[in-house]
Amino acid sequence: MINEGNIKLPSGIIAALENTHQPNQIPILAIHGWLDNAASFIPLMNELPEYNWTAIDLPGHGNSYHRPPHTHYHFIDWVSDLINIIDVKYGNKPVVIVGHSLGGMLATVLAGVYPELVKKLVVIDAVGLVTQSEGATEIRKALDSRIAQSKKQKTKHISLNVAIKARANAGKIKSTSAELLVRRNIDETEGGFEWKTDKRLRTSSPVRLSEQQSISIIQHIAAPVMLFVAKDGYEMVKSGYKKYKSYYPNLIKKDVIGAHHCHMDEPIGIALEIKRFIG
């Protein structure tokens, strides 16, 4: 059975989904991708009930708190949230982390900067980091995106089914998987079905880690890392693997069937590999 949970941080309440935890089972902290939510891990949680799963909604996503007005969602601030979560939830004891996409990148930074907090790391269709552009043009585009987004209204759909279809089409994801994500991330209003996600998430970031910082972070990861690369996933993941693979001290790569949400659409094979890796 999967239940609602929450983690109270000084900054706000982090919503989570948890399976029925049992004594002496290995805990897993699961971190979803951009514009997804904790429901991203329901298929894996169902396949691997022998672990104590806590799948969070990152701030701005799902049922978690939104950043205060006039602030923004900087990548590194989510890492700070993870540090606080591990403190509150696990008493700063090292934990197994499973991260998909953005969640995998966040977990990568955490594992490199705070290696004592990560026991083992599983990264699904994400490798390396998205780094800072050297040009001023990209910074301006990011700042302009804030202005443009502030003037937009949230998208509304006439029915839940229409929202599910839109999510499935947007991410090359099976309808059943899209439904899991959508049901956790939508509200029914008088004007239709409206996304819960903070619209500021759709702005570009003017500040990212540098290439050299990213390499140094990866080199400082002490935990064993298992990387899943989806056959029909993003090309940036495949090119990122070639670029960053030599910097990981202890990396195991597994090619898997499916697209970017392979852990939702094709969870059985991934679950078996995770079980072998974690023990």
Side-chain angles (χ1 to χ4, degrees), residues 28 41 44 48 51 53 95-101 103-105 107-108 111 118-128 218 221-230 237 241 245 248-256 262-263 267-279:
I28 293 177
F41 293 99
L44 283 178
L48 295 169
Y51 301 107
W53 288 84
V95 64
V96 175
I97 298 182
V98 177
H100 171 242
S101 196
M105 293 184 187
T108 295
V118 183
K119 189 174 183 179
K120 290 186 176 181
L121 176 59
V122 176
V123 181
I124 303 169
D125 218 41
V127 62
I218 293 169
I221 297 175
V225 180
M226 175 166 277
L227 166 66
F228 291 101
V229 177
V237 176
Y241 173 71
K245 64 180 180 179
Y248 286 85
N250 187 357
L251 177 66
I252 301 169
K253 174 181 176 272
K254 297 290 181 179
D255 294 309
V256 294
C262 52
H263 65 304
I268 296 175
I270 292 174
L272 289 173
E273 293 292 350
I274 289 175
K275 186 172 182 177
R276 292 191 189 104
F277 179 64
I278 297 176

Side-chain angles (χ1 to χ4, degrees), residues 116-192:
E116 70 276 13
L117 297 182
V118 183
K119 189 174 183 179
K120 290 186 176 181
L121 176 59
V122 176
V123 181
I124 303 169
D125 218 41
V127 62
L129 300 168
V130 178
T131 56
Q132 182 70 41
S133 169
E134 296 297 327
T137 302
E138 294 303 313
I139 296 176
R140 175 164 182 161
K141 284 181 180 178
L143 294 175
D144 285 347
S145 76
R146 293 178 176 181
I147 298 170
Q149 190 61 236
S150 68
K151 298 175 181 179
K152 292 182 180 179
Q153 297 296 316
K154 282 191 174 183
T155 300
K156 293 184 180 182
H157 296 282
I158 59 172
S159 72
L160 182 63
N161 286 338
V162 169
I164 292 169
K165 185 175 181 180
R167 183 66 187 87
N169 291 339
K172 289 174 60 179
I173 181 173
K174 289 182 179 179
S175 180
T176 51
S177 300
E179 183 173 356
L180 289 175
L181 295 173
V182 169
R183 285 189 178 277
R184 187 169 180 81
N185 192 41
I186 207 160
D187 281 325
E188 185 174 5
T189 68
E190 288 185 4

Side-chain angles (χ1 to χ4, degrees), residues 32-93:
H32 64 79
W34 179 63
L35 299 182
D36 285 349
N37 55 69
S40 173
F41 293 99
I42 289 177
L44 283 178
M45 293 165 76
N46 287 334
E47 293 293 332
L48 295 169
E50 60 267 44
Y51 301 107
N52 290 343
W53 288 84
T54 298
I56 62 167
D57 291 334
L58 287 167
H61 299 76
N63 295 326
S64 285
Y65 79 97
H66 290 190
R67 302 274 191 229
H70 310 300
T71 63
H72 299 279
Y73 288 87
H74 297 292
F75 176 90
I76 202 66
D77 290 335
W78 277 314
V79 178
S80 183
D81 293 321
L82 296 180
I83 295 166
N84 289 329
I85 287 168
I86 293 174
D87 179 20
V88 172
K89 181 73 175 176
Y90 304 104
N92 278 328
K93 293 181 181 178

Side-chain angles (χ1 to χ4, degrees), residues 175-227:
S175 180
T176 51
S177 300
E179 183 173 356
L180 289 175
L181 295 173
V182 169
R183 285 189 178 277
R184 187 169 180 81
N185 192 41
I186 207 160
D187 281 325
E188 185 174 5
T189 68
E190 288 185 4
F193 288 81
E194 182 177 287
W195 302 113
K196 292 179 185 177
T197 41
D198 193 327
K199 67 179 185 177
R200 288 173 291 177
L201 292 170
R202 294 184 175 275
T203 62
S204 301
S205 177
V207 180
R208 293 190 173 102
L209 295 170
S210 71
E211 182 73 16
Q212 189 54 51
Q213 284 176 319
S214 300
I215 292 171
S216 178
I217 286 168
I218 293 169
Q219 290 174 327
H220 281 83
I221 297 175
V225 180
M226 175 166 277
L227 166 66

